[in-house]
Amino acid sequence: MTIEPVLTALDLTSDQLSGGDLSVTSPIDGREIAQVHQTPASEMGAVLDRAEAAFHAWRTVPAPRRGELVRLLGEELRAAKDELGAVVTLEAGKITSEGLGEVQEMIDICDFAVGLSRQLYGLTIASERPGHRMMETWHPLGPTAVITAFNFPVAVWSWNAALALVCGNPVIWKPSEKSPLTAMATMAIFNRALARFGDAPEGLAQLVIGGADLGDALVSSPRVPLVSATGSTRMGRIVGPKVAERFGRSILELGGNNAMIVAPSADLDMALRAIVFSAVGTAGQRCTSLRRLIVHESLREGLVANLARAYASLPIGDPRAEGTLVGPLIDKEALARMQAALEQARAEGGTVHGGEVVEGVAGGAYVRPAIVEMPAQSDIVRAETFAPILYVISYDRLDQAIALQNGVPQGLSSCIFTRDLREAETFLSAAGSDCGISNVNIGPSGAEIGGAFGGEKETGGGRESGSDAWKAYMRRATNTINYSDALPLAQGVRFDI
Ligand code: UN1
């Protein structure tokens, strides 16, 4: 598939794709595919004005009607799935099936949000005062900034945007500078939905393309009550305090260092398949990628041997080619960081299997995923390297395994493979995994949108996507209504005048 017809099918014009000063390259072969225009920093005031005006109009549109816009977006995404998936593959280097899977994740969250648009429920609460009623109402919050990373260049926007839009908030999107094309294509698809919807205010979903100065304008502005940011812990350390300083709200989805415990009773065939998908899928570039294997010492040798065999035969190369399972890393810098991490692992006593540079397509950063047997959970194991490196450490007792699982600064996703009910329940209990996502007998990656997504500690604490994550996008009001002819005070206070 050549990309020009795909981009044309997505309504992107050659003017949009050339003449700009942001060079976009494909990780497949490192070649430039577009020169995109950046949003001048001086434009940000106007962007915020538009978002504010859109908010004032959109917040009074009934939520189920707002849901109709998201329903149309879901329809347009279904119609454009192949094309948008192909752009994800071109710009982020995902294999075709994962590019399509990402678009499916967008469709799923649209469906979820449409249902939600009729379920933004508040509570009725018993009042201690006679003739009074208490309730909670949920109101739109205001312009919502969505800052996304290259690795899920479109799904993460839609988790946020689908919820924000039904909740009554306009969205301002700053994608990674590495993936502006997918963002532009998504906006073109959104515009199709808007055209069918008819009377949406201008500025409901805006895209700003460029660097940290644009992000900073959003993060620092009190006109943006909610900032949802996905990326590195380093980025979160800048964004979190800036938003907090102005008492804004943030949803941070930062680094992960996800582990799997493989217990003696595990179904080892299933565990092996889960390990390979979650450690190697998306070339190890998911926040939820499996990075640490905590395996019972009785199983270690055999499991590592089987994994090394499976890794040795992985089809690595052009992500568009049928049968490829491992595409390129995002760029040469990512490859250099991987090699440096492997070097450090060796210095910390690790034995590395794999990790060599692979031919792939000329100009791209292709590498064989690595398995690294470590004597202990050393510094490099505790750091997130955004590449396909799986550290293996062994354990003797379950409490040790859980202590290892929790003994890192990050807290996104985790899992245990066991057929022992006691072990599974202990892992999920208050004394078990400290992550935002804890699974039994499935890997740590590939979460469905129905659950709340996010994690603890350096992962940032935010929750996006399903369950009641929508509440972060709304303003809660507690209302007390007096329908009596007296004015009793709570807590028995007397204040007679
Ligand atoms: C991410 O890597 O930022 O659970 C998101 C998963 C996907 C989302 C990952 N549903 O792997």
Side-chain angles (χ1 to χ4, degrees):
M1 190 183 260
T2 57
I3 200 65
E4 286 74 19
V6 172
L7 294 173
T8 313
L10 291 168
D11 310 329
L12 297 181
T13 61
S14 50
D15 277 358
Q16 282 178 289
L17 301 175
S18 56
D21 53 1
L22 178 61
S23 168
V24 186
T25 54
S26 171
I28 297 175
D29 54 10
R31 279 222 308 261
E32 183 175 80
I33 44 178
Q35 293 165 341
V36 166
H37 302 270
Q38 306 197 51
T39 309
S42 58
E43 268 281 309
M44 291 307 284
V47 167
L48 291 172
D49 289 346
R50 276 196 293 276
E52 224 159 46
F55 175 57
H56 289 136
W58 192 240
R59 67 182 175 183
T60 56
V61 173
R65 173 80 185 135
R66 300 194 296 247
E68 172 61 9
L69 174 60
V70 174
R71 193 187 68 76
L72 294 170
L73 174 61
E75 277 191 5
E76 294 299 336
L77 285 166
R78 281 178 169 86
K81 183 174 174 181
D82 288 348
E83 289 80 7
L84 187 57
V87 188
V88 171
T89 292
L90 183 80
E91 195 174 49
K94 292 192 184 192
I95 62 169
T96 299
S97 161
E98 290 194 74
L100 293 171
E102 176 159 359
V103 183
Q104 187 58 47
E105 199 161 3
M106 303 174 81
I107 295 167
D108 294 343
I109 194 70
C110 286
D111 286 356
F112 179 90
V114 175
L116 184 65
S117 71
R118 292 181 187 267
Q119 300 177 78
L120 302 171
Y121 301 138
L123 297 171
T124 302
I125 300 157
S127 169
E128 67 185 62
R129 288 175 277 199
H132 284 58
R133 185 168 68 79
M134 285 172 71
M135 65 177 184
E136 268 181 2
T137 42
W138 293 89
H139 297 297
L141 185 65
T144 299
V146 182
I147 298 173
T148 59
F150 78 85
N151 67 324
F152 273 81
V154 287
V156 173
W157 173 78
S158 63
W159 294 351
N160 286 281
L163 295 197
L165 289 170
V166 300
C167 289
N169 304 339
V171 175
I172 306 166
W173 182 10
K174 192 195 116 33
S176 161
E177 287 161 273
K178 295 185 172 129
S179 55
L181 277 187
T182 38
M184 288 161 66
T186 301
M187 289 304 288
I189 294 167
F190 181 76
N191 287 337
R192 293 175 184 171
L194 267 185
R196 286 172 62 197
F197 182 80
D199 55 355
E202 194 216 346
L204 204 48
Q206 301 184 76
L207 176 64
V208 297
I209 292 178
D213 52 335
L214 304 187
D216 190 61
L218 298 170
V219 165
S220 308
S221 173
R223 299 164 79 191
V224 181
L226 174 62
V227 176
S228 176
T230 300
S232 63
T233 296
R234 196 187 60 80
M235 177 276 281
R237 281 193 210 286
I238 300 169
V239 169
K242 277 199 179 162
V243 178
E245 194 178 18
R246 60 174 176 84
F247 301 105
R249 203 183 282 178
S250 57
I251 299 175
L252 299 177
E253 207 265 275
L254 311 173
N257 195 350
N258 317 296
M260 178 192 293
I261 297 175
V262 183
S265 70
D267 178 329
L268 288 176
D269 286 343
M270 233 165 72
L272 186 102
R273 279 186 284 141
I275 293 165
V276 177
F277 170 69
S278 42
V280 158
T282 328
Q285 298 172 114
R286 289 193 193 211
C287 298
T288 51
S289 289
L290 178 63
R291 311 209 178 279
R292 297 178 296 137
L293 192 62
I294 303 168
V295 54
H296 192 265
E297 56 191 19
S298 63
L299 305 174
R300 175 179 174 145
E301 215 181 298
L303 187 56
V304 169
N306 286 340
L307 276 174
R309 241 192 317 279
Y311 270 47
S313 63
L314 284 170
I316 303 167
D318 191 326
R320 298 165 297 189
E322 180 92 27
T324 300
L325 291 181
V326 184
L329 296 182
I330 189 68
D331 51 27
K332 296 255 153 50
E333 288 73 36
L335 179 61
R337 281 192 294 271
M338 175 172 174
Q339 310 277 274
L342 292 177
E343 221 23 74
Q344 189 178 335
R346 281 190 191 95
E348 291 175 8
T351 307
V352 178
H353 310 262
E356 322 74 45
V357 172
V358 170
E359 193 87 21
V361 183
Y366 294 83
V367 70
R368 182 161 302 281
I371 301 165
V372 188
E373 293 187 82
M374 295 298 294
Q377 186 154 272
S378 58
D379 288 350
I380 192 65
V381 182
R382 289 161 45 80
E384 180 193 43
T385 303
F386 221 55
I389 302 176
L390 179 63
Y391 299 106
V392 183
I393 37 188
S394 49
Y395 78 93
D396 180 19
R397 296 189 324 271
L398 183 66
D399 61 323
Q400 293 172 333
I402 292 174
L404 284 167
Q405 135 65 37
N406 293 346
V408 295
Q410 313 82 354
L412 179 55
S413 190
S414 61
C415 62
I416 187 167
F417 268 72
T418 179
R419 283 184 286 198
D420 181 323
L421 180 70
R422 287 182 181 168
E423 286 189 336
E425 291 289 342
T426 302
F427 181 74
L428 300 180
S429 77
S433 161
D434 63 2
C435 289
I437 300 173
S438 308
N439 297 332
V440 175
N441 293 334
I442 69 165
S445 71
E448 300 174 28
I449 55 87
F453 184 89
E456 306 303 336
K457 302 192 294 189
E458 287 191 3
T459 303
R463 292 296 185 278
E464 297 169 320
S465 194
S467 184
D468 64 352
W470 60 272
K471 290 181 174 172
Y473 299 77
M474 299 200 87
R475 166 171 73 78
R476 181 202 314 242
T478 301
N479 311 127
T480 307
I481 300 139
N482 177 2
Y483 58 94
S484 75
D485 56 6
L487 196 66
L489 300 178
Q491 297 93 38
V493 172
R494 302 291 305 263
F495 205 87
D496 299 327
I497 48 168

